């Protein structure tokens, strides 16, 4: 009889261990994907820029703007009329500058020079957008 009760006690211990293990797995952290899903933010910010609202501080995943639209809104202010010595949109005005190489033109656009303000005043423009705009300006005077 004593022998049987020892076996019963051992069986009971095993059952308790299995139950504890099963219970513990219910609180397991889960896979990395499951954790990410649980702690993910409620929504994702997506700002759609429009011509009027372009001045906004938030630049998050908006669609890249078209070079001509950037030129019209920012660069043309000086470059159409040649304000403050800005090269007008003519081949003569641009030839010597183009001869310096596109990298030089991009560098002036990013950093400014003389009366040319840094980023041509388009502070929420990405580098890619500015490069596209310079390319567009150069192409349209050739
Ligand atoms: C406030 C007036 C002004 C605005 C706005 C402006 N520019 Fe200019 N830009 C100038 C002036 C002035 C120069 C001549 C600078 C010099 O060579 O000293 C110039 C020169 C340039 C050059 C020639 C740089 C070189 O190295 O020869 C590029 C390219 C250019 N601007 C691009 C742009 C772009 C792109 C924008 C708009 C995103 C823009 N500019 C907006 C005034 C302006």
């Amino acid at each position: 009889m004593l022998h049987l009760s020892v076996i019963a006690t051992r069986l009971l211990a095993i059952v308790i261990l299995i139950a504890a293990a099963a219970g513990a797995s219910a609180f397991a952290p889960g896979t990395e994907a499951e954790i990410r899903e649980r702690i993910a933010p409620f929504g994702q910010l997506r700002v759609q820029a429009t011509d009027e609202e372009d001045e906004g501080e938030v630049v998050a995943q908006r669609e890249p703007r078209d070079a001509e639209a950037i030129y019209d809104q920012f660069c043309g202010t000086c470059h159409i009329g040649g304000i403050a010595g800005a090269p007008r949109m003519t081949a003569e005005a641009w030839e010597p500058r183009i001869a310096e190489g596109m990298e030089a033109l991009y560098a002036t656009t990013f950093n400014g020079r003389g009366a040319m303000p840094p980023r041509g005043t388009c502070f929420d423009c990405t580098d890619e957008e500015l490069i596209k705009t310079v390319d567009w300006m150069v192409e349209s005077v050739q």
Side-chain angles (χ1 to χ4, degrees), residues 92-142:
E92 302 79 57
W94 281 87
E95 256 162 34
R97 295 178 186 272
I98 294 167
E100 298 294 317
M102 294 306 290
E103 292 303 322
L105 301 188
Y106 302 147
T108 303
T109 304
F110 294 150
N111 307 321
R113 185 171 76 197
M116 163 76 189
R119 308 189 81 78
T121 66
C122 185
F123 298 110
D124 69 341
C125 276
T126 62
D127 289 358
E128 287 74 35
E129 286 173 330
L130 288 175
I131 287 171
K132 267 196 319 186
T133 308
V134 174
D135 291 348
W136 181 88
M137 287 166 76
V138 166
E139 276 161 27
S140 49
V141 296
Q142 280 174 334

Side-chain angles (χ1 to χ4, degrees), residues 29-105:
T31 66
E32 197 181 319
E34 287 165 347
I35 296 168
R36 280 186 195 288
E37 202 183 328
R38 276 205 305 275
I39 63 173
F42 292 117
Q44 281 177 350
L45 181 64
R46 185 170 174 86
V47 175
Q48 192 71 49
T50 66
D51 281 350
E52 287 77 35
E53 292 162 5
D54 256 359
E55 255 80 49
E57 288 84 313
V58 185
V59 184
Q61 299 185 5
R62 67 166 164 64
E63 298 298 322
R65 276 169 298 187
D66 162 83
E68 194 172 349
I70 294 172
Y71 172 81
D72 286 345
Q73 191 179 348
F74 300 95
C75 327
T77 314
C78 295
H79 285 274
I80 289 174
I83 290 178
R88 300 174 126 213
M89 300 300 283
T90 64
E92 302 79 57
W94 281 87
E95 256 162 34
R97 295 178 186 272
I98 294 167
E100 298 294 317
M102 294 306 290
E103 292 303 322
L105 301 188

